[in-house]
Structures are given as C-alpha cells and as structure tokens.
Amino acid sequence: ESSPALAPARADTAMFYSISRTQPGLRGISFGNALLTQVVGALQAEYPGRRQFATLSPVPRLRAWLRSADDREVGAAIPERERLAFAAAFHETPGARALERAIDSVARHGEDARAQALRPCLLRAAAHYLHEAREGSRPHCPVARFHLSNGARLERIDWGGDTSARGIAQSGGVMVNYLYRGEDIDENHERHAATGEVIVGAAVRRLLRG
C-alpha cells in the first residue's frame, strides 16, 4: 500500500482479482468468459500498451483433495531436502494428510520455522494437484478448468495469497496466477480442449520437476 502509484498508461500488465456473480437468478449460468473477453478488449482499446493479462485466483478444493489424495503420490512430488526439512519441523513425513494437518498449525502460529518448512512442500503439492488431479479428462479444480479452457496458462502458484479464514480453510492460503497472452490464447485453448493438457509456465514447471 505504501508503494508509489503507477500511471495506468505506463502499465504493461492488468491483473484480474475476481469475477463475482451477485444475482441468485444467474447461478449456474456461465458468463465469466464473456466478461473476461469484454474487459480485455476494453483495456486494450483504452491502454494499447497492455501486453499481458493475468488473474489472482483461488484454489477452492485443494485442502479437500489433500484429505483424500494418495499419501505416497503427494510425497513423491516433494524433493528429499524439502521432505527432511518438513519432517524436522513437524515430526512426520510429508504426505497429503501431513500437509493438510500442518496448514492449521502454521495458520495458528504465523511465519515461523514451520511455515518455511511447509511452504515449498505445499507449493509442490498444489502444482501436482493442478497439473495431475482430474475429473474425467479435465482438471479437478473448477477454477483451473475455467481459465485453461479459455486459453490461459498456469503461470505461478502463490504462497500466502489469501490468509483469510476462508482462504486457509480452502487452500491453506495458496492462490494462483493464470496468464493470458494474446498470441498464445488460441493455441492454449485448442491444446487443452483436445487433450485436457494443463499448459504451465516456467515457475510451475520447476515445481513439478522437483
């Protein structure tokens, strides 16, 4: 909040925080894509310097997934050095259920050594969830399904993006940036529609490689 304000005409990026459906009668009607497309068009017309558009999005089912995911599979997504740090901080091996339990401990005690041990493990588990967990052939996460089907890519996973009670309860505070780049949107959409592929940026790719 103390950062200097940037003149809008100089900004090259626009961030979308939320698309809210405020009218009960519109529940179940998908119009997010239309809103997104209209806003992108309006911003590009008003500020031609805008080159990229990204979201700050929730991961609403992450903790629910951890409660039912395969412990061994989630643990295998975490490199040995991070597993050892987690085990030293929480006195148990980092699997799905251990990560889920650790979230509440960290939420109660703030940014201490346990938070630093949980952070890389939870980010890797979130990357694994968003990239691998499925409902049929599509991503398990409904927010991911929406943005990926519209041509975005999974760009970055953010620790501590939403530390409200709801954010902690749903995702351990994790949020996600989905990036819309004009030259890639059509290709990304076609790849995802054809195979269910989750297109990722370099930061998420590093998390997946371990």
Side-chain angles (χ1 to χ4, degrees), residues 25-190:
L26 296 177
R27 286 177 187 162
I29 300 174
S30 178
F31 61 93
N33 184 35
L35 287 177
L36 194 62
T37 301
Q38 289 175 23
V39 172
V40 167
L43 286 172
Q44 286 179 323
E46 186 173 359
Y47 302 109
R50 293 285 192 278
R51 293 196 298 273
Q52 59 186 9
F53 301 84
T55 74
L56 183 59
S57 297
V59 194
R61 297 183 182 177
L62 178 59
R63 288 193 70 176
W65 174 78
L66 285 171
R67 287 191 287 269
S68 61
D70 185 299
D71 262 342
R72 190 175 302 174
E73 180 182 338
V74 173
I78 301 170
E80 183 67 17
R81 66 186 183 280
E82 294 170 6
R83 291 168 59 85
L84 291 173
F86 183 95
F90 294 97
H91 309 293
E92 60 179 328
T93 302
R97 247 71 72 212
L99 291 177
E100 212 278 324
R101 287 190 293 271
I103 289 169
D104 287 326
S105 174
V106 167
R108 287 194 300 271
H109 295 96
E111 288 287 333
D112 60 7
R114 282 170 296 185
Q116 296 309 309
L118 172 61
R119 177 175 180 163
C121 298
L122 184 58
L123 291 178
R124 291 192 193 277
H128 180 80
Y129 166 65
L130 291 164
H131 192 260
E132 300 294 335
R134 301 283 161 152
E135 280 190 357
S137 62
R138 302 303 176 192
H140 182 272
C141 177
V143 180
R145 285 199 300 270
F146 171 76
H147 289 295
L148 294 167
S149 67
N150 286 327
R153 79 181 183 209
L154 176 57
E155 183 68 7
R156 192 170 67 181
I157 302 175
D158 303 310
W159 166 265
D162 181 1
T163 56
S164 69
R166 181 176 183 180
I168 296 297
Q170 290 187 336
S171 67
V174 168
M175 295 189 78
V176 171
N177 300 121
Y178 294 97
L179 179 68
Y180 287 84
R181 293 180 64 96
E183 62 270 28
D184 298 331
I185 288 175
D186 288 343
E187 180 184 351
N188 289 350
H189 165 75
E190 290 172 5

Side-chain angles (χ1 to χ4, degrees), residues 153-156 199-209:
R153 79 181 183 209
L154 176 57
E155 183 68 7
R156 192 170 67 181
I199 295 91
V200 301
V204 176
R205 197 174 299 117
R206 287 193 293 270
L207 289 173
L208 291 168
R209 286 175 179 165

